[in-house]
Amino acid sequence: MRQTKIVATMGPATAEQPVLAGIVEAGVDVVRLNLSHGSAEDHRRNAANLRRSADDADRLVGLLCDLQGPKIRVEGFREGPVQLEAGAPFYLDPALDPQAGTVEGVGVAYQGLPGDVAPGDTLLLADGLIRLRVEGIEGTRIHTRVEIGGVLSERKGINRLGGGLSVRALTDKDRKDIELAAELEADYLAVSFPRDAHDIEEARERLRAAGGDAGIVAKIERREALDALPEIMDAADAVMIARGDLAVEIGYAELPGVQKRIMRLARQRDCVVITATQMMQSMVTSPVPTRAEVLDVANAVIDGTDAVMLSDETAVGQYPVATVKAMAEVCIGAENSVDTPSTPPSTALDSPLHRIDETIAKTAIVAANRLSVAAIAALTESGSTVMWMSRIGTGIPIYALSEQPRTRTRVTLFRGVLPVSFDPTVRDQGVVDGEVVERLREMHALEAGELVMITKGDLAGVRGGTNAMKIVSA
């Protein structure tokens, strides 16, 4: 089976039921709702349609709600987009009327920007296509000189090269959208532009207060987040390498090394990792990917990413189903090119172990890699056991057997893990082993005589109770 998971963004191109059903059939594991766009009612309808399509296809598909975050943007222009010429003066002013922009200057939707910049700073607009050098600050007005010009239209983003903007991650809109994510029973909540672990903890507290239990995804897209990676990973359930804004802040040349460092550290700290942004961007308008895009996806897979994400490709692209199919093919090809991706089994137990269930999970994978085991079956209440298992490289499929629907959709993001509905008829451990084997044989995951490794707890239905590992023959 394909180990690397595919996250696809839902949008106008995939909102209609036939297309949505198509990407589900093509192999999407998690669908992303971008809360930056659309109304609450749009998102309710999309979430309902997703679950209907997944049920029709007899597949489990997770739901990720992505907060807009404090993206700093220019305001509007009086007469439409303007052409900025290199060498020309241009000002940014949060006090300017939102629709009064001209070729001389424009308003800004962040009041604190004048206090965050200094003469000599470089500001990047429109995803880095336009470059301004700060020459001075006068009251609320930031005077700049255009270094690289271009067409600037309303609501384009602003980044400071090297980071350093003080705005916190959660806006008033995000706080309302967290309540919506709880209502939609999202499996994951992505926090945009976090600076540190505090932003992640605040999002989790607000989500729990709203009745949600989603895992928290920290989007790494600010320079400050790179400096706080260990604590962010410890606070979050997953990180997303959001390469768009991150590349603008740190520079494109630094991005490849940073991507590999984030992935390596996430594996070490038992944090799920998603690689995102422009992975198959050409397929917005083309039915086939470029060779560079194929290599980009494959490189992330070989480095051990849990998931690869599609954005515009499935949100507004012309070929969303073909894109998912192409990405699935590339993932399988990359997985087949290496023996044991991600953390090598030989080093999996080098770090200290802190819990009994963690010890069983990691020991099981190391043992399975050294024995002729056809499958690993983890009876899990919370999904933690299979999350730890998925941190270690193995070509052996890991089946998360759970009677908890929320756990089954949560593990759709974990590399190499397949969720399975399983509710043992009795709690007798010997009987449960036989039922596990029978369930996997029904799925054609086991053949007679093959070995399966089973992890479980003495007390069924207890979170964190995994304390046993057993190898049985089918």
Side-chain angles (χ1 to χ4, degrees):
M1 69 178 190
R2 171 171 46 84
Q3 292 195 333
T4 310
K5 302 305 178 78
I6 296 175
V7 182
T9 303
M10 197 170 175
T14 40
E16 297 301 322
Q17 199 72 28
V19 182
L20 182 57
I23 67 169
V24 170
E25 289 279 3
V28 161
D29 299 287
V30 178
V31 165
R32 167 180 174 251
L33 296 183
N34 186 354
L35 302 186
S36 300
H37 309 291
S39 66
E41 192 52 44
D42 291 334
H43 298 309
R44 292 187 185 99
R45 181 173 56 255
N46 288 340
N49 288 341
L50 166 64
R51 287 169 174 142
R52 188 179 307 115
S53 295
D55 288 343
D56 290 344
D58 194 25
R59 293 192 64 236
L60 287 171
V61 180
L63 176 65
L64 184 153
C65 287
D66 195 339
L67 300 176
Q68 176 175 290
K71 178 120 178 143
I72 299 170
R73 301 178 186 273
V74 301
E75 294 284 16
F77 292 91
R78 188 179 300 154
E79 298 179 358
V82 297
Q83 174 71 45
L84 301 187
E85 302 292 344
F90 189 74
Y91 67 81
L92 303 168
D93 191 344
L96 192 68
D97 182 276
Q99 294 301 318
T102 67
V103 73
E104 297 177 348
V106 69
V108 179
Y110 171 45
Q111 299 298 315
L113 188 61
D116 282 350
V117 299
D121 284 350
T122 297
L123 297 179
L124 303 163
L125 279 59
D127 291 330
L129 297 178
I130 296 173
R131 187 179 180 114
L132 309 177
R133 175 72 66 175
V134 177
E135 294 188 332
I137 296 95
E138 184 180 359
T140 61
R141 185 158 295 189
I142 303 167
H143 295 280
T144 76
R145 184 74 54 181
V146 179
E147 290 190 337
I148 299 176
V151 176
L152 182 62
S153 57
E154 66 177 22
R155 306 298 296 163
K156 292 299 182 181
I158 303 174
N159 295 82
R160 178 180 178 272
L161 184 63
L165 301 181
S166 61
V167 62
R168 301 303 308 191
L170 296 182
T171 65
D172 290 341
K173 171 178 167 52
D174 293 332
R175 295 182 181 97
K176 292 180 181 177
D177 284 342
I178 286 174
E179 296 177 359
L180 176 62
E183 176 194 331
L184 297 178
E185 297 184 333
D187 299 294
Y188 289 94
L189 177 73
V191 180
S192 297
F193 302 100
R195 292 167 53 92
D196 48 36
H198 170 79
D199 289 331
I200 305 306
E201 291 160 355
E202 181 186 353
R204 192 185 300 277
E205 289 171 4
R206 289 184 177 276
L207 180 66
R208 297 297 180 264
D213 65 349
I216 304 297
V217 179
K219 296 171 66 177
I220 308 302
E221 48 195 340
R222 297 171 76 163
R223 167 68 75 176
E224 293 84 354
L226 294 179
D227 298 332
L229 272 177
E231 51 263 44
I232 287 177
M233 288 179 178
D234 290 346
D237 300 285
V239 293
M240 181 189 294
I241 308 174
R243 303 181 302 179
D245 282 282
L246 181 60
V248 173
E249 289 219 350
I250 68 175
Y252 295 102
E254 195 175 336
L255 183 62
V258 167
Q259 174 173 311
K260 290 180 180 292
R261 179 164 70 89
I262 293 172
M263 216 171 293
R264 185 169 57 249
L265 186 61
R267 288 269 158 193
Q268 293 170 358
R269 305 189 82 87
D270 294 329
C271 187
V272 175
V273 59
I274 305 166
T275 307
T277 315
Q278 293 185 332
M279 301 214 78
M280 287 191 162
Q281 185 69 19
S282 74
M283 292 194 73
V284 171
T285 56
S286 170
V288 294
T290 66
R291 293 174 181 84
E293 289 165 344
V294 169
L295 290 171
D296 181 32
V297 173
N299 181 62
V301 171
I302 292 170
D303 282 348
T305 192
D306 284 89
V308 285
M309 194 176 96
L310 298 165
S311 298
D312 285 352
E313 301 95 327
T314 52
V316 297
Q318 297 176 22
Y319 305 96
V321 177
T323 304
V324 174
K325 288 180 179 178
M327 181 165 270
E329 291 172 0
V330 174
C331 289
I332 292 171
E335 290 162 5
N336 290 339
S337 71
V338 291
D339 294 328
T340 52
S342 54
T343 305
S346 59
T347 63
L349 300 180
D350 289 352
S351 301
L353 300 171
H354 305 287
R355 294 172 47 162
I356 294 173
D357 50 354
E358 176 191 4
T359 303
I360 293 295
K362 293 183 176 180
T363 302
I365 294 293
V366 173
N369 278 325
R370 297 177 180 178
L371 186 66
S372 182
V373 171
I376 301 165
L379 278 67
T380 180
E381 288 290 317
S382 67
S384 295
T385 302
V386 291
M387 186 277 291
W388 283 311
M389 288 179 173
S390 68
R391 301 308 86 200
I392 303 171
T394 182
I396 303 169
I398 303 167
Y399 296 93
L401 279 69
S402 181
E403 58 188 307
Q404 304 295 334
R406 299 286 290 148
T407 297
R408 296 197 300 269
T409 49
R410 178 77 63 87
V411 305
T412 53
L413 194 59
F414 301 167
R415 180 171 180 145
V417 175
L418 183 69
V420 178
S421 177
F422 182 75
D423 186 4
T425 56
V426 297
R427 299 301 178 181
D428 179 88
Q429 295 299 307
V431 176
V432 169
D433 292 343
E435 292 184 349
V436 168
V437 169
E438 184 60 29
R439 183 76 175 90
L440 293 185
R441 291 191 66 174
E442 289 173 359
M443 298 168 53
H444 305 290
L446 276 179
E447 295 182 3
E450 289 185 321
L451 297 180
V452 57
M453 180 170 288
I454 302 173
T455 62
K456 57 187 178 179
D458 289 336
L459 299 175
V462 176
R463 284 176 171 256
T466 298
N467 62 1
M469 175 181 70
K470 190 172 184 179
I471 301 171
V472 301
S473 174

